[in-house]
Amino acid sequence: MTVATTPMLRIEGGTFRMGSNEFYADESPVHERTVDGFELDLHPVTTEQFAAFVADTGYVTVAERPLDPADFPGADPAELVPGGLVFTPTPGPVDLRDWRQWWRWGPGASWRHPFGAAPEGEPVFDALAERPTHPVVQVSFEDASAYAAWAGKRLPTEAEFEFAARGGLDGARFAWGDEEFPRDAEHPDGRLMVNRWQGSFPYRNTGAEGWVGTSPVMTFPANGYGLFDVTGNVWEWTSDYYTERHVVPGAADAAVDAGARPNLLAAASAEPGSRIPRRVLKGGSHLCSPDYCLRYRPSARSPQADDSATTHIGFRCAR
């Protein structure tokens, strides 16, 4: 299977205002951050690109591997089947404080079959056949890192991703400016710039430009640097461990110092009671909705455990 990896754009380094004090607490404090020049994929890695990696290496993703009963004390071994988290719309309005109402464990869910097993008598959804140019999903941090190494690249840092996503608009709310729906001669009522939830979350989604769920990469406008899908469509892995607020370089931090050993950073990133590190996701996804998750912005960030695979997380590579 011959499929080219994503073309890369050169992003010249610079200093910018990272974070926001306007939205969620973990985006603060706003501070100056400097990044060196680097290259970043034009768009997220697609299903067909990830398929080429699997075909060349025989790689088995975390979601496809057998589960160890020792990691799930008290669970019925018969129920410990490989899979991933699958978003499932609710029948109607629900309490938005409980995410478990719209997420379910999908036995058999993987990068190729992101929704897992199908109801009896129905075919299993095949992303490679149906959505080859959509961002690959159901990939963990380990999976994304393995692909990046195979491609001769790496995952971006959080600062690199945010700097690139801003497209030169330092301090702007969105990747294209401060107005969510910019107006021009062709779009007097405002233009939808990003694949995010349309309607009432989590039960009614009318689709972004006709797409419910992921959309083909480069469907929506590029940012000022010419990068596509830097916000919306899928959340994207970065290499940084998550902290509950930004650790400002050079400032003292009693909990996690920026120069601490990697194992301390990893341990501090985990949820209470867990030993699994969490990384920073950037960009938001097609599930972001203004009435629940206004995170389709460059400064937005979200924690995710390294072993997680879901229907709204993908990645792109840097170098």
Side-chain angles (χ1 to χ4, degrees), residues 174-233:
F174 300 101
W176 54 88
D178 286 323
E179 297 297 322
E180 180 169 359
F181 300 100
R183 294 175 171 83
D184 56 30
E186 292 184 28
H187 307 89
D189 296 325
R191 183 179 187 182
L192 180 62
M193 300 291 288
V194 61
N195 180 3
R196 57 95 159 162
W197 188 277
Q198 305 293 309
S200 300
F201 186 85
Y203 62 94
R204 181 174 60 85
N205 186 1
T206 58
E209 298 294 341
W211 295 101
V212 175
T214 57
S215 54
V217 296
M218 302 192 294
T219 295
F220 292 83
N223 75 351
Y225 288 154
L227 297 164
F228 292 89
D229 297 315
V230 286
T231 57
N233 214 357

Side-chain angles (χ1 to χ4, degrees), residues 65-144:
R65 299 173 194 170
L67 301 181
D68 186 350
D71 294 333
F72 303 90
D76 181 353
E79 296 180 356
L80 296 179
V81 295
L85 286 174
V86 176
F87 174 79
T88 306
T90 59
V94 295
D95 185 345
L96 296 180
R97 292 173 295 181
D98 185 5
W99 59 267
R100 292 169 296 183
Q101 295 179 94
W102 54 86
W103 285 105
R104 65 175 175 83
W105 180 254
S110 69
W111 68 269
R112 182 152 188 171
H113 306 295
F115 307 115
E120 187 174 352
E122 295 184 17
V124 176
F125 182 85
D126 188 330
L128 184 57
E130 301 292 334
R131 297 181 178 178
T133 61
H134 289 228
V136 66
V137 294
Q138 294 289 9
V139 285
S140 70
F141 177 79
E142 181 181 332
D143 304 330

Side-chain angles (χ1 to χ4, degrees), residues 18 38 40 45 71 102 134 172 185 239 245 262 280 310 315-316:
M18 185 172 182
F38 64 102
L40 191 66
V45 173
D71 294 333
W102 54 86
H134 289 228
S239 60
R245 63 183 179 86
V280 176
T310 77
F315 69 100
R316 79 179 71 208

Side-chain angles (χ1 to χ4, degrees), residues 1-9 39-57 132-133 136 144-154 217-218 315-319:
M1 182 177 186
T2 304
V3 177
T5 58
T6 308
M8 306 189 84
L9 292 184
E39 292 178 289
L40 191 66
D41 282 353
L42 182 69
H43 59 71
V45 173
T46 65
T47 301
E48 63 182 1
Q49 289 172 327
F50 196 80
F53 156 65
V54 171
D56 186 55
T57 63
T133 61
V136 66
S145 299
Y147 175 95
W150 170 79
K153 306 178 184 183
R154 59 174 173 82
V217 296
M218 302 192 294
F315 69 100
R316 79 179 71 208
C317 302
R319 183 166 57 201

